[in-house]
């Protein structure tokens, strides 16, 4: 049985740190409005809309758990998008927007999931208290992530200037940095997820000074590629190892909804995926209209855009390892010791949404 907190610590900090480190910073700043609309607005809409839909489809799943599932399937996966983009001629700017969206919506989706799980565990949810808590969690996490990377970078520079640069030590420090930022943020009850993302973005900015030796950069990139490949692979292997038990428990949960046939699980996956696709399409279309309207008011002559652009952005909403890692961290029990309701069903549905989104994007996006 996987301990959710250990799973969260082992896999999410390095993956989120690397996404933040490698994202093109100039593109992120240039298209910040579009990225924020997708990464924050669309996530909140998805959590609310899909959360209520899941609870309506599956009354046996409590509303906070439905919101947690909706939150965890809302983030897109940058690695999956990049893999599909290598076989489809996606314009560079669109790809950078998708990468920026996936970086930020990973954090926003997982933070929303944490709030939903907390509501399930405590049995209460006050909007005012949640807003104040969110500000502390978010701003504290960002500040700690930036501070950790900046402090470590200054210390490394001071030591390298006096003692010379050791490549192995530099690589080890970069591997430990996301865990340090995550654990420090969690210690102060802030978001370790946002701390890891902020640490990665700050690392990318620090590295632009070009202080590290060329051999360090090359070897470090190879090590991080291996870590990324291994972490993504292990997450799916662990899911496969647990899938038989999850399938059995999920089938039992479906019985509570007056459906005895296991194929209803497939119906739920299709319904959730269709809702995610429809919401994303509507949001992208609305966002594009607003962008063109603002350009027209500034006196610019906006370029005409086709439905293919909106469809491509919608099909590119691929889910992947971050969604799977997030849903596997749902608690095993409530605070009173009872089993967490519909946990295995939520994991199965999230896995189904991931697989279906990969299939749809692999077939539809190139077309």
């Amino acid at each position: 049985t996987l301990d959710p907190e250990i799973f969260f610590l082992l896999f999410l900090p390095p993956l989120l740190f690397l996404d933040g480190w490698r994202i093109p910073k100039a593109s992120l700043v240039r298209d910040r409005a579009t990225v924020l609309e997708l990464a924050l607005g669309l996530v909140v809409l998805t959590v609310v809309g899909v959360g209520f839909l899941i609870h309506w489809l599956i009354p046996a799943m409590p509303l906070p758990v439905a919101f947690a599932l909706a939150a965890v399937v809302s983030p897109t996966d940058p690695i999956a998008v990049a893999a599909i983009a290598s076989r489809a001629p996606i314009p560079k700017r669109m790809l950078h927007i998708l990468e920026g969206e996936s970086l930020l919506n990973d954090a926003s989706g997982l933070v929303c999931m944490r709030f939903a799980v907390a509501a399930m565990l405590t049995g209460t949810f006050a909007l005012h208290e949640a807003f104040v808590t969110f500000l502390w969690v978010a701003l504290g996490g960002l500040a700690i992530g930036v501070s950790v990377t900046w402090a470590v970078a200054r210390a490394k520079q001071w030591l390298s200037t006096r003692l010379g640069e050791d490549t192995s030590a530099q690589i080890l420090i970069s591997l430990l940095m996301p865990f340090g930022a995550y654990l420090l943020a969690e210690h102060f009850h802030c978001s370790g997820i946002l701390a890891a993302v902020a640490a990665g973005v700050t690392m990318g900015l620090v590295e632009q000074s070009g202080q590290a030796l060329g051999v360090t950069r090359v070897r470090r990139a190879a090590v991080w590629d291996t870590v990324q490949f291994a972490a993504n692979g292990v997450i799916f292997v662990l899911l496969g190892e647990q899938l038989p038990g999850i399938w059995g428990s999920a089938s039992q949960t479906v019985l509570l909804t007056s459906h005895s046939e296991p194929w209803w699980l497939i119906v739920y996956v299709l319904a959730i995926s269709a809702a995610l696709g429809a919401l994303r399409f509507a949001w992208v279309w609305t966002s594009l209209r607003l962008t063109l309207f603002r350009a027209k008011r500034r006196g610019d002559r906006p370029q005409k855009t086709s439905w293919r652009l909106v469809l491509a952005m919608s099909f590119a909403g691929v889910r992947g390892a971050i969604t799977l890692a997030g849903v596997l961290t749902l608690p095993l029990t409530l605070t009173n010791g009872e089993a967490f309701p519909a946990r295995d069903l939520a994991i199965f549905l999230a896995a189904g949404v991931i697989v279906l989104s990969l299939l749809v994007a692999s077939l539809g996006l190139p077309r």
Side-chain angles (χ1 to χ4, degrees):
T1 302
L2 292 176
D3 183 337
E5 289 300 323
I6 296 296
F7 191 87
F8 222 94
L9 172 65
L10 287 179
F11 293 103
L12 286 179
L15 291 175
L16 294 173
F17 177 83
L18 187 61
D19 290 343
W21 186 358
R22 291 184 172 177
I23 191 169
K25 306 304 182 294
S27 302
L28 185 63
V29 172
R30 180 189 61 196
D31 296 313
R32 59 188 179 277
T34 304
V35 169
L36 287 173
E37 287 171 3
L38 290 168
L40 299 180
L42 181 55
V43 166
V44 173
L45 178 66
T46 300
V47 171
V48 175
V50 177
F52 278 114
L53 172 68
I54 293 171
H55 182 60
W56 177 74
L57 285 172
I58 314 170
M61 181 177 287
L63 190 58
V65 181
F67 282 145
L69 176 57
V72 85
V73 297
S74 60
T76 52
D77 189 80
I79 301 164
V81 171
I84 294 172
S86 65
R87 299 187 293 106
I90 295 181
K92 286 291 184 184
R93 186 168 187 179
M94 182 191 291
L95 182 59
H96 291 157
I97 289 174
L98 291 169
E99 289 174 341
E101 175 203 0
S102 62
L103 169 67
L104 297 181
N105 67 15
D106 285 349
S108 56
L110 292 171
V111 169
C112 288
M113 186 201 78
R114 282 286 177 103
F115 274 100
V117 170
M120 184 68 228
L121 294 176
T122 60
T124 59
F125 181 81
L127 186 60
H128 173 71
E129 292 180 8
F131 179 72
V132 174
T133 304
F134 179 80
L135 287 179
W136 168 256
V137 164
L139 297 179
L142 293 172
I144 288 173
V146 171
S147 301
V148 166
T149 302
W150 182 83
V152 171
R154 292 299 298 269
K156 285 198 306 179
Q157 181 184 354
W158 186 84
L159 288 172
S160 297
T161 302
R162 286 156 178 77
L163 304 175
E165 182 172 303
D166 181 79
T167 299
S168 299
Q170 296 281 340
I171 295 172
L172 179 60
I173 291 169
S174 73
L175 290 171
L176 294 175
M177 215 178 298
F179 299 103
Y182 178 88
L183 289 171
L184 187 61
E186 290 292 321
H187 176 73
F188 289 104
H189 304 290
C190 298
S191 173
I193 298 160
L194 287 173
V197 171
V201 173
T202 308
M203 183 71 173
L205 296 173
V206 168
E207 287 291 293
Q208 289 179 357
S209 62
Q211 294 171 349
L213 295 176
V215 65
T216 299
R217 290 169 176 266
V218 171
R219 291 179 179 174
R220 188 175 56 194
V223 170
W224 270 103
D225 285 341
T226 304
V227 169
Q228 184 183 50
F229 181 82
N232 279 286
V234 168
I235 289 171
F236 281 92
V237 169
L238 289 174
L239 172 71
E241 188 270 333
Q242 295 195 91
L243 207 52
I246 290 171
W247 170 263
S249 180
S251 301
Q252 292 298 317
T253 306
V254 172
L255 293 177
L256 301 178
T257 66
S258 72
H259 298 301
S260 58
E261 300 84 358
W263 54 261
W264 273 99
L265 294 172
I266 309 301
V267 174
Y268 295 148
V269 169
L270 292 173
I272 295 169
S273 299
L276 289 170
L279 283 176
R280 184 175 179 84
F281 181 87
W283 186 270
V284 169
W285 184 86
T286 305
S287 176
L288 183 60
R289 293 294 104 191
L290 289 173
T291 301
L292 296 177
F293 175 73
R294 288 195 297 263
K296 191 174 182 180
R297 289 194 63 179
R298 289 196 304 267
D300 300 336
R301 290 189 60 187
Q303 296 178 344
K304 291 185 177 180
T305 53
S306 67
W307 284 98
R308 290 175 62 198
L309 176 68
V310 183
L311 284 172
M313 287 290 288
S314 302
F315 273 97
V318 187
R319 275 70 188 177
I322 296 296
T323 291
L324 189 53
V327 78
L328 285 172
T329 60
L330 288 174
L332 298 172
T333 60
L334 298 173
T335 51
N336 60 6
E338 295 180 6
F340 193 85
R343 181 180 187 272
D344 286 343
L345 177 60
I347 294 174
F348 180 86
L349 294 177
V353 169
I354 292 169
V355 173
L356 189 59
S357 72
L358 289 169
L359 288 174
V360 169
S362 297
L363 297 174
L365 199 55
R367 174 64 63 183

